[in-house]
């Protein structure tokens, strides 16, 4: 069912990224009534950016539509205290213990709920995307970093700290490339979109804007083929670890890198089957909501108070990690 929890209400949904805020007004059937994309103000000014964007979007609606808007959802990177509506830590937004829900709600006159961006993207895939109807999927978001969301008995696994799912920092190539976290050979140091672009640049001496340029060269450029093979086999190793631990009903690949579609899924699935010994390889699927997954997930949390994007349901003084936090999968 592609509907929000409130069958008559519309919502304002924001996917806050390090550079861009994607915003939409969504009707009860998740159809887009209005959309905007604006640069992300960093630090506490983020609240102003959200309020200004919300007002501009609301101004563009009919009065009937405007009256139907009941709530606001924000998908944020980093560590989010959903219960208090506070961004605990987001390195790429310069946020540390910044209250967002309350000040935004006070100015818009609408309730505001926060969620974690990767958890929101996974919730969207589970609600009405590739993971819909799949028993206990693992959703892996691959962008600047790599993060996974897994479900057991239908519930998202948060762990004691709320940070379960740091698949990007599982070491798959000991002694390999240096990761942003300081370790060597983490999955995201080999297979994230930014790592793939970086590996291609250093091996070929050619500049590329991102991993999509490497994908475009597959089959015509031996360096691109080699970098891609290294990344997809590393990804297969990482996904086999997740499979060994969780035996998911399917693995859904999302985030920017998943836009490669079959060019990504086919070699990863083949490598998984080649390398799997004691585990059954689950179906490997591509995310259906694409770059809208965060916005759709934010709409779901806006619409339902106890939605599964909740990052730290039992937040109890969890401190920002000393060295890093970048579950910025999108
Ligand atoms: Zn790492």
């Amino acid at each position: 069912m592609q509907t929000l929890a409130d069958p008559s209400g519309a919502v304002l949904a924001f996917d806050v990224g390090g550079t861009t805020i994607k915003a939409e007004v969504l009707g009860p059937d998740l159809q887009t009534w209005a959309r905007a994309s604006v640069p992300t103000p960093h630090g506490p000014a983020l609240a102003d950016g959200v309020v200004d964007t919300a007002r501009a979007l609301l101004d563009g609606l009919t009065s009937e539509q405007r009256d139907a808007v009941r709530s606001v959802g924000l998908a944020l990177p980093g560590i989010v205290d959903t219960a208090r509506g506070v961004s605990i830590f987001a390195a790429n937004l310069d946020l540390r213990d910044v209250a967002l829900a309350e000040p935004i709600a006070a100015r818009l006159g609408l309730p505001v709920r926060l969620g974690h961006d990767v958890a929101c993207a996974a919730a969207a895939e589970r609600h009405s995307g590739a993971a819909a109807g799949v028993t206990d999927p693992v959703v892996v978001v691959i962008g600047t970093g790599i993060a996974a969301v897994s479900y057991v008995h239908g519930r998202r696994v948060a762990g004691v700290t709320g940070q379960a799912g740091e698949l990007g920092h599982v070491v798959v190539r000991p002694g390999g490339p240096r990761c942003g976290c300081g370790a060597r050979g983490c999955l995201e140091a080999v297979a994230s979109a930014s790592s793939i672009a970086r590996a291609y640049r250093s091996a070929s001496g050619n500049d590329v804007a991102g991993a999509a340029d490497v994908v475009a060269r597959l089959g015509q450029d031996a360096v691109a083929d080699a970098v891609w093979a290294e990344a997809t086999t590393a990804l297969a190793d990482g996904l086999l670890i997740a499979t060994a631990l969780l035996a998911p009903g399917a693995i859904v690949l999302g985030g920017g890198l998943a836009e490669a579609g079959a060019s990504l899924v086919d070699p990863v699935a083949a490598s998984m089957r080649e390398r799997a010994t004691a585990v059954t390889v689950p179906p490997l699927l591509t995310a259906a909501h694409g770059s809208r997954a965060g916005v759709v997930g934010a709409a779901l949390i806006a619409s339902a108070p106890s939605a599964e994007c909740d990052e730290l349901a039992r937040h109890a003084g969890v401190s920002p990690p000393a060295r890093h936090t970048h579950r910025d999968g999108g």
Side-chain angles (χ1 to χ4, degrees), residues 5 171 266 270:
V171 174
D266 291 353

PDB file of all heavy atoms in Angstrom, residues 5 171 266 270:
ATOM      1  N   ALA A   5       0.305   7.037   6.750  1.00  0.00           N
ATOM      2  CA  ALA A   5      -0.514   6.523   7.846  1.00  0.00           C
ATOM      3  C   ALA A   5      -1.848   7.272   7.950  1.00  0.00           C
ATOM      4  O   ALA A   5      -2.874   6.697   8.262  1.00  0.00           O
ATOM      5  CB  ALA A   5       0.256   6.621   9.157  1.00  0.00           C
ATOM      6  N   VAL A 171      36.365  -4.595   7.672  1.00  0.00           N
ATOM      7  CA  VAL A 171      37.602  -4.721   6.888  1.00  0.00           C
ATOM      8  C   VAL A 171      37.481  -5.925   5.954  1.00  0.00           C
ATOM      9  O   VAL A 171      37.308  -7.052   6.394  1.00  0.00           O
ATOM     10  CB  VAL A 171      38.834  -4.866   7.808  1.00  0.00           C
ATOM     11  CG1 VAL A 171      40.087  -5.154   6.986  1.00  0.00           C
ATOM     12  CG2 VAL A 171      39.018  -3.592   8.633  1.00  0.00           C
ATOM     13  N   ASP A 266      24.866  -7.412 -11.266  1.00  0.00           N
ATOM     14  CA  ASP A 266      25.266  -8.674 -11.906  1.00  0.00           C
ATOM     15  C   ASP A 266      26.647  -9.153 -11.458  1.00  0.00           C
ATOM     16  O   ASP A 266      26.775 -10.297 -11.023  1.00  0.00           O
ATOM     17  CB  ASP A 266      25.181  -8.575 -13.436  1.00  0.00           C
ATOM     18  CG  ASP A 266      23.731  -8.467 -13.912  1.00  0.00           C
ATOM     19  OD1 ASP A 266      22.821  -8.609 -13.058  1.00  0.00           O
ATOM     20  OD2 ASP A 266      23.504  -8.231 -15.118  1.00  0.00           O
ATOM     21  N   ALA A 270      27.324 -12.414  -9.057  1.00  0.00           N
ATOM     22  CA  ALA A 270      28.170 -13.504  -9.569  1.00  0.00           C
ATOM     23  C   ALA A 270      29.329 -13.773  -8.611  1.00  0.00           C
ATOM     24  O   ALA A 270      29.640 -14.931  -8.298  1.00  0.00           O
ATOM     25  CB  ALA A 270      28.693 -13.145 -10.963  1.00  0.00           C
TER      26      ALA A 270
END
